[in-house]
Amino acid sequence: MTEPAPAPLAGGPHAADALRPLLDTVLTALRTGAEERKGPLPAGGPDTVTARVRAALGDVLPAHGTGDHEALATLVHTLAAGAADPADPLCAAHLHCPPLAVAVAADLAVSALNPSLDSWDQAPAASAVEALLTRALAAEFYAGPRADALLTTGGTEANQLALLLARERHGPRLTVLHGANAHHSVPRAAWLLGLPPATALPTPTGTLDPATLDAALAHTPGPALVTATAGTTDAGLIDPLDALADVCARHRAELHVDAAYGGALVFSPRHRAKLTGLHRARSVTVDLHKLGWQPVAAGLLAVPDSDLLAPLAHQADYLNAADDTEAGLPDLLGRSLRTTRRPDAFKIAATLRSLGRDGLARLIDHTCATAHRLAELLDAHPGFELHAHPTLTTVLFRPTPADDDRIAALRRTLLHDGTAVLGRATADGRLWLKATLLNPHTTARDLDTLVALLEGSTHR
């Protein structure tokens, strides 16, 4: 009896022949799923979506397989039909970007070849790409010749690494101070690393006041790490980095800047001045799966000197034996706390090569301008109250008149109907709707559509 042929592989000399027909199936299912969805997200809410997925999948592990094409057609269609699609202009709740096609295509090559960046013999070219890319990106934040960066899964991991490296420099009694506007990963990282509970400083205006930090550091014994934010999650605000760096210097405290959201402004001549003082930080977090339009994950932790990364050095004979390292094989294990990890640098490198500095700047500038356009529409509309004109691409607003309960219910109604995905944020003691604009293809007509939809929804 003839044994069935083994399932085809994605790599090797015949990879293209195996992948091409499957990709056609995937692309078709992406289209049909989006057509079924008919909007930024599926209608019906969690129970309805779960029921549709359960009905489509049936037995998750069937006794007999259905074959590649049927499996892909069914699951990809179901995924797309039930997606919150950030490429839809009305999907604007979170820092959840629509990835560029070139980055997704590059990620396909990575998935097919499956390099793992824990040893050179698993990723010869990919490790070289990562080394070149991380140094090039670090040079955007620091002028010195030894600037370096690590690829991370995002801002949470990068912030955790920043606190870990600071703890290794100063010991376990390190005090972490941050504004109340900081990302939740900062105090969580202090807890995870066994540091004293992080100190949250009030930010009544939305950003950390240097005078508030100065007073807090004057009463902080021992070593301190201050975390500032360049692009807050709720409102996209940027702390006064240069002034905070001055305060840190006076008190001999270190500064880390969480620029997961706003760090990409360094690529824009029009907007990079908003990051003045960023280079004075001992470390910087950046996410290129926000204003860099990369598929998740594409995080970064940049430092001014590669020696600052030395505490991450680790040795495992099967990955970086001493004699192999001495013989010239690159040691990759100290480039992350993870062992197995994908070469996320590759899709970033493909994007930078494709767009160039000017192309990336155009995307950033257009997206920021679109946010200002939405703010102007809302500010001029008698049915809405604008919180403030945006610093980055986040716009906070609320219908008038409406209380917090009504605003929360309105957002959930839009989600349930599948008509719009908006976020929520609390500022000045009130609840606001949040539009986070990261789609560089959003047009003025799209913004008019969003405002008209909201206007109609508030009159229900």
Side-chain angles (χ1 to χ4, degrees):
M1 184 175 181
T2 304
E3 290 288 328
L9 301 177
H14 303 295
D17 296 333
L19 283 171
R20 188 168 285 113
L22 297 178
L23 292 179
D24 187 62
T25 298
V26 167
L27 295 175
T28 298
L30 285 172
R31 186 188 70 246
T32 61
E35 289 170 349
E36 179 182 315
R37 188 180 65 241
K38 298 178 182 177
L41 80 168
D47 291 343
T48 299
V49 173
T50 299
R52 290 172 184 159
V53 172
R54 183 181 292 113
L57 265 63
D59 189 350
V60 176
L61 181 59
H64 303 286
T66 61
D68 294 346
H69 289 279
E70 191 284 333
L72 286 170
T74 298
L75 268 73
V76 175
H77 175 97
T78 302
L79 180 70
D85 185 0
D88 189 298
L90 300 185
C91 186
H94 302 287
L95 289 164
H96 176 204
C97 76
L100 294 167
V102 65
V104 173
D107 227 17
L108 169 64
V110 164
S111 292
L113 293 168
N114 208 27
S116 180
L117 283 164
D118 48 319
S119 66
W120 182 87
D121 57 355
Q122 298 176 79
S127 62
V129 170
E130 180 179 270
L132 292 168
L133 179 88
T134 50
R135 285 171 175 79
L137 289 177
E140 296 295 318
F141 302 96
Y142 297 108
R146 294 182 56 78
D148 201 356
L150 302 178
L151 266 294
T152 71
T153 54
T156 294
E157 183 188 353
N159 287 337
Q160 180 184 330
L161 282 172
L163 267 65
L164 171 64
L165 293 171
R167 186 194 71 179
E168 295 306 290
R169 287 193 295 272
H170 300 291
R173 297 182 65 81
L174 175 72
T175 297
V176 177
L177 301 95
H178 62 85
N181 61 350
H183 192 262
H184 65 83
S185 62
V186 174
R188 194 178 191 199
W191 163 76
L192 183 66
L193 294 167
L195 294 170
T199 300
L201 304 178
T203 53
T205 64
T207 57
L208 182 56
D209 185 349
T212 299
L213 177 63
D214 190 51
L217 286 174
H219 296 91
T220 300
L225 175 72
V226 175
T227 294
T229 306
T232 59
T233 304
D234 279 349
L237 302 178
I238 297 176
D239 286 338
L241 304 179
D242 217 22
L244 294 175
D246 287 341
V247 174
C248 289
R250 282 200 300 273
H251 291 276
R252 300 183 181 275
E254 287 190 355
L255 177 65
H256 166 67
V257 176
D258 178 0
Y261 182 6
L265 294 188
V266 296
F267 301 113
S268 166
R270 183 177 301 174
H271 292 286
R272 71 163 60 104
K274 295 175 181 177
L275 299 176
T276 297
L278 183 66
H279 68 286
R280 300 175 65 184
R282 185 62 65 97
S283 53
V284 175
T285 287
V286 183
D287 272 358
L288 293 177
H289 53 242
K290 293 181 172 64
L291 280 174
W293 297 282
Q294 297 300 295
V296 173
L300 192 79
L301 180 72
V303 294
D305 192 317
S306 58
D307 284 348
L308 293 170
L309 305 176
L312 299 178
H314 188 65
Q315 204 271 325
D317 281 345
Y318 77 105
L319 294 173
N320 59 347
D323 58 320
D324 279 348
T325 303
E326 291 169 4
L329 294 184
D331 180 357
L332 306 181
L333 206 54
R335 302 291 299 178
S336 176
L337 292 179
R338 293 169 284 150
T339 303
T340 302
R341 61 187 181 92
R342 301 176 82 249
D344 289 316
F346 187 76
K347 62 195 175 192
I348 301 171
T351 300
L352 298 183
R353 183 177 180 87
S354 170
L355 296 181
R357 187 183 298 275
D358 58 344
L360 191 56
R362 281 194 297 273
L363 291 180
I364 292 168
D365 293 349
H366 176 79
T367 307
C368 290
T370 301
H372 278 277
R373 169 63 177 160
L374 176 60
E376 290 166 357
L377 285 174
L378 293 167
D379 198 23
H381 197 296
F384 297 97
E385 178 185 354
L386 178 70
H387 181 263
H389 285 272
T391 301
L392 292 172
T393 67
T394 299
V395 181
L396 300 185
F397 63 98
R398 51 188 283 144
T400 56
D403 60 20
D404 287 359
D405 289 342
R406 172 65 182 136
I407 290 171
L410 168 62
R411 174 180 175 272
R412 288 190 293 269
T413 297
L414 295 171
L415 293 176
H416 188 275
D417 293 347
T419 51
V421 191
L422 294 173
R424 55 185 288 168
T426 300
D428 301 333
R430 294 189 292 166
L431 184 66
W432 301 78
L433 293 175
K434 177 173 70 169
T436 309
L437 301 179
L438 291 180
N439 187 340
H441 287 200
T442 298
T443 66
R445 178 175 294 182
D446 294 326
L447 298 181
D448 290 338
T449 299
L450 175 59
V451 172
L453 171 66
L454 291 167
E455 184 180 28
S457 297
T458 58
H459 293 156
R460 286 186 182 182

